[in-house]
Amino acid sequence: MIERIRNFCIIAHIDHGKSTLADRLLQLTGTVSDRDMTAQILDSMDLEREKGVTIKASAVRMMYNALDGLQYELNLIDTPGHVDFSYEVSRALAACEGALLVVDATQGIEAQTLANLYLALDSNLVIIPVINKIDLPSARPDEIAQDLQNLLGFPAADIPRISAKDGTNVDQVLEIIVKKIPPPKGQIETTTRALIFDSHYDSYKGVIAYVRVSEGKISGRDELHLMAHKSNLKPVEVGIFVPTMKAIDLLEAGDVGYIATGLKSVTECRVGDTITLTANPAEVPLAGYRHPKPMVFAGIYPVEGEDYPELKDALEKLQLNDASLIFEPETSQALNFGFRCGFLGLFHMEIIQERLEREYDLDIIVTAPSVEYEVHMRDGQVIVIDSPVQLPDEGLIEEIREPWMNLEIFSPTDYYGTIMDLVTKRRGVFKEQDYPAPNRVQLVFEIPLSEIIVNFFDELKSRTRGYASMDYHFADYRAGSLVKLEVLVNQDPVDALASIVHKDEAYHRGQSLVTKLKDLIPRQQFDVPIQASSSGRIISRANIKAVRKDVLAKCYGGDITRKNKLLDKQKKGKKRMKLIGKVEIPQAAFMAVLQLEEE
Amino acid sequence: MDSSLYIHIPFCKRRCGYCDFVTFAGFERMIPEYIRAIEKQINLVGEGNQIKTLYFGGGTPSLISPNVYKDVFTCIRNNFFLLPEAEITLEANPGTIDWHSLDEYRKLGFNRISFGMQSAIKNELDLLDRAHTPQELNSAVSLARDAGFANINLDLIFGLPGQKLSDWKFSLEKALELDPEHLSLYSLIIEENTPLALKISQGTIQEPDDDLAAEEYEWSCAFLEKAGYRHYEISNWAKSSQTNDFRCKHNLQYWHLLPYYGLGCGAVGFLPRDSCRMSTTSSILMENAKWIGRYIKSINLACESREVFPFIQTVDRSYEISTFMFMGFRLLEEGINPVDFFQRFGVPLDEIVGEKIKQLLSSNLVEISPEGHYRLTRQAWLVANRVFREFVDE
């Protein structure tokens, strides 16, 4: 009965309580028994639970007995609460008819609240604002209800004020879902089209595609066709999430469920693709498919060379669930064998880095992230590079173009000045401002992506005591006067320390990099000059003096095991350092590029 | 093969801020029981073999009264053959010693005494938490002379936080005024988890300056050479003549990696293959428990089960070779004699470590002495770890 289906999602800024609300809905509808309730069911990965970030979306079917005496099928589609995944969010929204907009009663509207709201409005969803965390002493639900009324035109009095944590008024939310969100449209007796809005890899059933059937129906016996990927597949089964996977016979128009595809890689079954029946295919796919393009690139290297196979294995496993992660082998003269990886954005990069370290227990070095530059050569050729190493000789270059972003920052008005300062220091250009709520300012800038991939978010957070939030989207490519900044250690250029920077910053950055390296590189057997060079000129220089004393002062009979161990440890420590020419460089030095502080 | 005995006395009145040895302050009540355990261990391991050096180190061995040592000596003589010309050393704290006990020690058979002088400057002694004053050291040395000690060592520490070269010169000159037969000069090492390391990490004491320490060391080498001392080991100098060689025979035993027993808590012994009945099949390392209480317990257990020794581990050949190499290279004059190596390991040195030696020769860190020994070049003295590291196991 399509009239009794409600497909909806929850959109919220990080930490505003999306997952907790989802948990309560699951409990109230009896989908999950109280006994099985582990906090925040939908965020199944530890990392998500810890960071409070939902990385993979989930979809759950709940049966709800409404006050009108009828039973409704509610499909909750969870969305990634993360700016780098806005494409995935948009696909999840496309699978719904309505969205709960959860706003923290203490924090109010934030950058991602707005960003997701605009996405939801673009998808023509019915928006239901919900004010959460009213149990907190600092909650100011009335004020925030007023803000929401100003923003959405939704009567402040009608906005439910809930506490997902203790369950207060969550029942109201279920009733509003049934009343306000329209049932899906779409005919069952027509050609089949289903939208893939998420996927995950299951080692038994292959890629599990999360689908919303728009029209027609899909059974586990049909041969299916992926319209963008142009391939056919025999599904293992079709089913629904309750919230674990449960196979059923048929998914019909309006339904949300899964197709176990048996495919080996999520790249074959991309989010946004349309599934139809091979036997009776649809003519046009559902709108909105896009192949997400990595924006940020960095080298990932194992600290110990022998961990290379494990790193490769880990990246492959991560890619099973993350089609937007790309990587290819890369060799660095300084760091030996590793991978050049592409990420959707800086948060995506951080998550991958953390998962490699935490879930796969790998010691890795991540080189300074880079963006993708378009290099226009004098001979008319255009090459695309994502690493300073690939930059051709300066004499051959006509101009270098770099990606610019639209950056939105949402903050209490108190921090207006310091945000302006931060952004303009990083070549950002102010575009406009808006005051969507009292004491809240939304600032819109354009800024080169390269300026926000290193330390920008941390700096923004620290300058605004954690109150500001940000969102960014690709704008366009623009020419910039960019130069390669090289570092020479003992006269040898070190590839892993090179970067592409704006000409005006080269001198300053070169200097602080040299100073930092001077502290990080231990004294060697001989004097070691450290130099920064740009456009063929040395712009900064420091000297690491040779070590004069390296000897065990005391060594007697009782010391032999200890001294043996100590010498062995020193020897191993030296081995762990990377040998560039004759100079031993510790891992930390390669991270220095990432940690140049603002002055 | 003549052996050496090291006996550890872990008791101290108080611990010095830089010390990370096996020492305990405030446990003096355990002394009687501890001494009994030492005697039991002597009973367990002694087999009448010849002992050419005996060394009581600490801790503070001079904290224990001479009549207690009397019993220990008797026990040693009952279980080993203590050679009449044996070198017998007592480490002593200059602040807690009087003529009467020095006289008694001397009569017991001690013929060498080692004072922890550390510095002749009051502030520096305070920085190191040393309880004695410069004056007390002076009088302790003259009392020892009066008691008949003809072989006196002074330990000094250089490279102290905030030290100036002139400070160090002052201390070493003061030490020479006392005309010691032997000097051990150590650069201060900040050991982990010591009060001094804590103060440095907190910034209340500045970090020692390695460059200054290097300068002080070089100055000391030149100064002591002029004063007629033999610089026979990286940190050790001795007066020496045809008739009287004051190089420390006990420590030479270590550097030659010849047999020595370690007795007492935290003590370590090394017994090359066939040097005693415990090492008939391979060389062994003895390592005793580090806590006084556990040491006593382990010795009692060993006595009950009549096991020769509870903490014996066999040493494989590569470990022994690497230790032999880096201990031998500490001896600046004699270095490593390839003949000794061949006799000990049954293969030519060049066959085992020839490649490494060749590299070290070409980088000028090692040279060949007139007698055909391998030894450190003068420029390698301050960076000898570069040589030592080549030989440790990987």
Side-chain angles (χ1 to χ4, degrees):
Chain A
M1 282 282 277
I2 199 161
E3 300 79 45
R4 282 194 232 142
I5 296 176
R6 300 291 182 269
N7 295 324
F8 71 102
C9 58
I10 307 177
I11 53 183
H13 189 75
I14 291 170
D15 279 344
H16 280 199
K18 180 173 69 170
S19 302
T20 317
L21 176 57
D23 291 349
R24 277 308 87 68
L25 297 177
L26 291 178
Q27 258 178 317
L28 271 180
T29 53
T31 313
V32 176
S33 71
D34 292 352
R35 192 164 48 86
D36 293 342
M37 194 72 212
T38 51
Q40 303 189 0
I41 287 262
L42 293 184
D43 292 351
S44 50
M45 280 186 283
D46 282 354
L47 189 66
E48 290 184 16
R49 214 167 283 182
E50 217 166 284
K51 282 199 127 181
V53 170
T54 311
I55 302 164
K56 295 302 291 182
S58 243
V60 188
R61 175 180 291 190
M62 302 177 279
M63 299 313 290
Y64 172 59
N65 296 313
L67 295 178
D68 61 12
L70 298 171
Q71 192 182 52
Y72 290 85
E73 172 191 322
L74 308 184
N75 291 307
L76 166 59
I77 293 168
D78 199 16
T79 57
H82 218 291
V83 292
D84 287 341
F85 299 100
S86 58
Y87 172 67
E88 280 77 358
V89 175
S90 78
R91 293 306 84 204
L93 297 179
C96 305
E97 279 76 37
L100 300 180
L101 176 69
V102 179
V103 180
D104 186 314
T106 64
Q107 307 285 323
I109 298 163
E110 297 273 12
Q112 276 168 264
T113 321
L114 292 176
N116 287 329
L117 172 64
Y118 297 144
L119 278 176
L121 291 172
D122 280 350
S123 306
N124 292 319
L125 300 195
V126 171
I127 310 287
I128 300 171
V130 174
I131 295 172
N132 188 22
K133 303 198 189 179
I134 57 162
D135 55 308
L136 293 181
S138 53
R140 32 191 189 91
D142 295 336
E143 245 175 84
I144 286 157
Q146 195 55 50
D147 293 348
L148 285 167
Q149 179 175 338
N150 298 344
L151 189 72
L152 297 167
F154 202 98
D158 295 353
I159 299 176
R161 290 122 203 251
I162 66 161
S163 164
K165 197 170 146 212
D166 62 25
T168 311
N169 296 338
V170 177
D171 51 341
Q172 290 181 11
V173 176
L174 285 167
E175 279 301 309
I176 297 176
I177 289 168
V178 169
K179 284 195 190 113
K180 294 267 163 95
I181 297 176
K185 293 185 213 86
Q187 298 182 332
I188 295 168
E189 301 308 326
T190 180
T191 54
T192 300
R193 292 199 297 176
L195 172 71
I196 303 176
F197 62 86
D198 197 4
S199 64
H200 83 260
Y201 183 78
D202 179 289
S203 38
Y204 299 107
K205 296 170 184 167
V207 175
I208 308 293
Y210 295 39
V211 294
R212 151 76 191 264
V213 183
S214 295
E215 291 132 22
K217 54 190 177 223
I218 295 174
S219 87
R221 294 171 303 277
D222 293 325
E223 187 176 273
L224 305 177
H225 179 69
L226 289 162
M227 297 185 77
H229 195 256
K230 298 186 174 49
S231 61
N232 295 332
L233 64 94
K234 280 288 300 170
V236 179
E237 65 185 40
V238 301
I240 54 172
F241 298 96
V242 285
T244 49
M245 292 197 289
K246 180 184 164 204
I248 59 171
D249 290 339
L250 204 60
L251 290 172
E252 290 181 335
D255 279 344
V256 171
Y258 70 86
I259 298 169
T261 62
L263 294 172
K264 288 285 161 277
S265 159
V266 284
T267 53
E268 296 170 71
C269 184
R270 285 187 176 270
V271 169
D273 204 344
T274 301
I275 291 181
T276 186
L277 303 183
T278 313
N280 180 18
E283 277 173 27
V284 241
L286 296 162
Y289 177 73
R290 198 151 57 81
H291 201 98
K293 196 167 140 299
M295 301 288 289
V296 177
F297 300 82
I300 296 185
Y301 289 83
V303 168
E304 304 282 356
E306 65 221 40
D307 286 348
Y308 179 87
E310 278 95 272
L311 175 60
K312 181 163 184 269
D313 193 50
L315 284 168
E316 278 167 358
K317 281 196 182 127
L318 288 177
Q319 203 180 38
L320 283 178
N321 275 322
D322 185 348
S324 43
L325 169 68
I326 59 160
F327 62 92
E328 58 186 38
E330 179 186 60
T331 333
S332 151
Q333 150 239 355
L335 301 170
N336 300 328
F337 298 104
F339 296 93
R340 191 80 192 157
C341 302
F343 312 96
L344 292 175
L346 50 150
F347 299 108
H348 187 209
M349 178 172 81
E350 267 178 26
I351 288 169
I352 297 294
Q353 185 181 341
E354 271 198 61
R355 294 188 63 185
L356 288 172
E357 287 170 345
R358 203 121 37 113
E359 290 171 37
Y360 294 92
D361 202 20
L362 288 164
D363 282 334
I364 51 172
I365 299 182
V366 181
T367 62
S370 170
V371 300
E372 205 163 56
Y373 296 95
E374 280 177 12
V375 184
H376 294 249
M377 310 290 284
R378 287 200 195 283
D379 64 5
Q381 228 194 113
V382 179
I383 58 170
V384 176
I385 63 162
D386 59 43
S387 157
V389 181
Q390 303 159 342
L391 193 68
D393 189 73
E394 214 168 298
L396 304 171
I397 298 172
E398 181 70 39
E399 70 175 13
I400 304 175
R401 299 168 75 86
E402 62 177 329
W404 278 64
M405 312 304 277
N406 289 316
L407 170 70
E408 285 149 32
I409 295 178
F410 200 76
S411 164
T413 46
D414 298 356
Y415 304 111
Y416 188 101
T418 181
I419 293 170
M420 281 296 204
D421 177 61
L422 170 68
V423 176
T424 48
K425 257 192 186 156
R426 297 199 181 215
R427 297 194 281 142
V429 180
F430 173 74
K431 296 307 284 182
E432 57 187 61
Q433 62 191 38
D434 195 8
Y435 294 88
N439 302 318
R440 290 267 152 164
V441 65
Q442 184 184 21
L443 295 163
V444 181
F445 302 95
E446 288 174 340
I447 190 168
L449 176 59
S450 65
E451 296 289 341
I452 55 176
I453 55 179
V454 178
N455 274 348
F456 181 86
F457 188 57
D458 290 343
E459 181 72 12
L460 177 69
K461 282 281 174 197
S462 84
R463 279 173 179 238
T464 62
R465 297 172 191 211
Y467 282 115
S469 50
M470 66 178 250
D471 194 43
Y472 64 95
H473 299 283
F474 176 69
D476 52 11
Y477 267 86
R478 292 180 201 174
S481 56
L482 301 168
V483 291
K484 183 168 169 183
L485 177 66
E486 278 197 298
V487 174
L488 293 87
V489 173
N490 204 27
Q491 319 293 351
D492 291 327
V494 180
D495 56 7
L497 292 173
S499 51
I500 295 174
V501 300
H502 193 260
K503 207 168 185 169
D504 297 345
E505 280 173 78
Y507 178 75
H508 169 73
R509 277 187 68 94
Q511 221 169 21
S512 47
L513 193 52
V514 165
T515 313
K516 191 125 194 178
L517 289 171
K518 185 174 183 263
D519 289 340
L520 289 170
I521 299 177
R523 294 166 70 181
Q524 316 270 319
Q525 302 184 19
F526 41 85
D527 286 2
V528 177
I530 311 263
Q531 297 158 303
S533 108
S534 175
S535 307
R537 280 187 313 124
I538 301 295
I539 53 178
S540 180
R541 189 195 154 93
N543 202 33
I544 300 174
K545 283 203 311 181
V547 67
R548 282 189 62 190
K549 183 172 154 286
D550 177 16
V551 59
L552 297 172
K554 279 187 175 192
C555 194
Y556 297 105
D559 295 328
I560 63 171
T561 29
R562 267 180 71 189
K563 296 295 150 80
N564 239 311
K565 269 185 205 148
L566 182 72
L567 290 167
D568 192 42
K569 201 173 133 197
Q570 287 180 353
K571 193 169 184 169
K572 289 212 177 86
K574 285 179 168 293
K575 266 202 168 155
R576 257 200 303 279
M577 290 200 232
K578 299 284 177 183
L579 198 65
I580 309 279
K582 281 158 51 195
V583 183
E584 290 158 342
I585 303 183
Q587 314 295 352
F590 297 103
M591 314 288 216
V593 206
L594 301 172
Q595 292 149 354
L596 295 182
E597 274 134 44
E598 294 282 312
E599 265 147 58
Chain B
M1 223 185 297
D2 294 348
S3 301
S4 292
L5 282 187
Y6 174 82
I7 298 180
H8 192 67
I9 305 298
F11 305 98
C12 282
K13 281 256 188 268
R14 66 180 212 194
R15 292 202 66 182
C16 304
Y18 59 93
C19 177
D20 76 330
F21 280 21
V22 180
T23 58
F24 305 93
F27 282 83
E28 281 92 327
R29 66 193 149 76
M30 294 185 82
I31 290 176
E33 203 186 344
Y34 181 74
I35 294 294
R36 269 200 302 283
I38 296 262
E39 290 169 352
K40 285 180 191 165
Q41 196 179 13
I42 293 170
N43 277 315
L44 279 171
V45 298
E47 47 184 286
N49 32 346
Q50 295 191 23
I51 299 300
K52 66 171 176 189
T53 74
L54 171 57
Y55 194 107
F56 287 86
T60 313
S62 58
L63 210 60
I64 290 177
S65 66
N67 60 341
V68 173
Y69 281 122
K70 203 171 187 172
D71 297 341
V72 178
F73 272 81
T74 308
C75 181
I76 292 170
R77 290 203 166 88
N78 287 340
N79 289 282
F80 291 99
F81 180 65
L82 186 61
L83 290 166
E85 69 276 18
E87 176 192 275
I88 304 177
T89 306
L90 178 78
E91 282 186 353
N93 185 343
T96 55
I97 200 138
D98 55 63
W99 184 86
H100 179 72
S101 48
L102 280 165
D103 184 52
E104 295 279 311
Y105 288 131
R106 183 71 194 88
K107 280 179 185 150
L108 271 172
F110 284 104
N111 52 26
R112 185 174 185 270
I113 191 159
S114 173
F115 287 110
M117 171 179 173
Q118 319 311 5
S119 166
I121 297 171
K122 180 75 173 68
N123 289 346
E124 293 186 348
L125 291 170
D126 291 345
L127 178 90
L128 293 170
D129 282 342
R130 297 295 293 194
H132 71 272
T133 63
Q135 292 74 25
E136 283 171 326
L137 181 271
N138 293 346
S139 62
V141 171
S142 66
L143 288 174
R145 292 280 183 221
D146 287 350
F149 279 97
N151 186 355
I152 296 178
N153 170 60
L154 299 178
D155 280 348
L156 280 88
I157 301 181
F158 61 95
L160 301 182
Q163 193 174 53
K164 290 193 286 294
L165 181 59
S166 57
D167 299 331
W168 170 245
K169 287 179 176 174
F170 176 80
S171 285
L172 192 56
E173 280 161 2
K174 283 285 161 202
L176 279 208
E177 282 174 20
L178 300 169
D179 202 24
E181 281 68 33
H182 192 281
L183 281 162
S184 298
L185 312 183
Y186 307 115
S187 73
L188 178 68
I189 304 295
I190 306 301
E191 302 286 356
E192 275 175 48
N193 304 322
T194 55
L196 191 60
L198 181 70
K199 284 181 192 159
I200 287 171
S201 72
Q202 288 167 343
T204 51
I205 289 181
Q206 71 189 87
E207 213 164 321
D209 175 356
D210 266 5
D211 289 351
L212 173 82
E215 214 172 307
E216 291 173 338
Y217 181 79
E218 273 163 3
W219 178 82
S220 309
C221 294
F223 180 66
L224 293 175
E225 194 179 341
K226 223 183 292 166
Y229 285 85
R230 268 175 79 175
H231 190 183
Y232 71 104
E233 194 261 359
I234 288 177
S235 305
N236 287 280
W237 284 260
K239 284 188 183 176
S240 179
S241 67
Q242 293 268 284
T243 47
N244 264 323
D245 181 359
F246 290 104
R247 291 181 303 161
C248 179
K249 292 181 189 61
H250 184 81
N251 289 340
L252 281 169
Q253 190 83 350
Y254 296 150
W255 294 316
H256 289 137
L257 204 61
L258 290 171
Y260 59 92
Y261 291 87
L263 308 170
C265 71
V268 173
F270 186 90
L271 296 154
R273 191 172 167 177
D274 283 335
S275 60
C276 70
R277 73 189 141 99
M278 292 184 283
S279 61
T280 49
T281 51
S282 76
S283 299
I284 60 157
L285 199 62
M286 324 170 34
E287 249 178 309
N288 297 341
K290 288 200 167 76
W291 283 93
I292 299 174
R294 182 173 299 173
Y295 168 73
I296 293 170
K297 211 182 238 173
S298 70
I299 293 299
N300 288 339
L301 268 173
C303 287
E304 278 166 31
S305 64
R306 290 211 219 133
E307 267 209 49
V308 178
F309 198 73
F311 295 102
I312 287 178
Q313 37 175 316
T314 59
V315 170
D316 63 34
R317 208 170 84 120
S318 69
Y319 184 86
E320 186 169 344
I321 289 174
S322 73
T323 310
F324 182 82
M325 295 304 289
F326 80 73
M327 293 300 268
F329 270 121
R330 294 194 66 92
L331 295 168
L332 301 181
E333 297 169 326
E334 55 182 293
I336 289 160
N337 184 351
V339 177
D340 289 346
F341 187 97
F342 182 75
Q343 280 175 353
R344 183 172 189 135
F345 298 108
V347 274
L349 182 148
D350 288 343
E351 208 169 280
I352 305 290
V353 289
E355 269 312 302
K356 285 173 179 168
I357 295 278
K358 221 155 110 192
Q359 269 177 29
L360 292 166
L361 285 167
S362 74
S363 54
N364 231 356
L365 292 167
V366 166
E367 64 186 11
I368 300 175
S369 75
E371 301 81 30
H373 297 187
Y374 294 115
R375 66 182 187 193
L376 298 180
T377 58
R378 185 159 187 143
Q379 69 175 47
W381 292 357
L382 265 172
V383 291
N385 284 357
R386 271 180 218 162
V387 176
F388 301 162
R389 275 193 294 267
E390 286 301 315
F391 297 97
V392 293
D393 278 352
E394 277 161 48

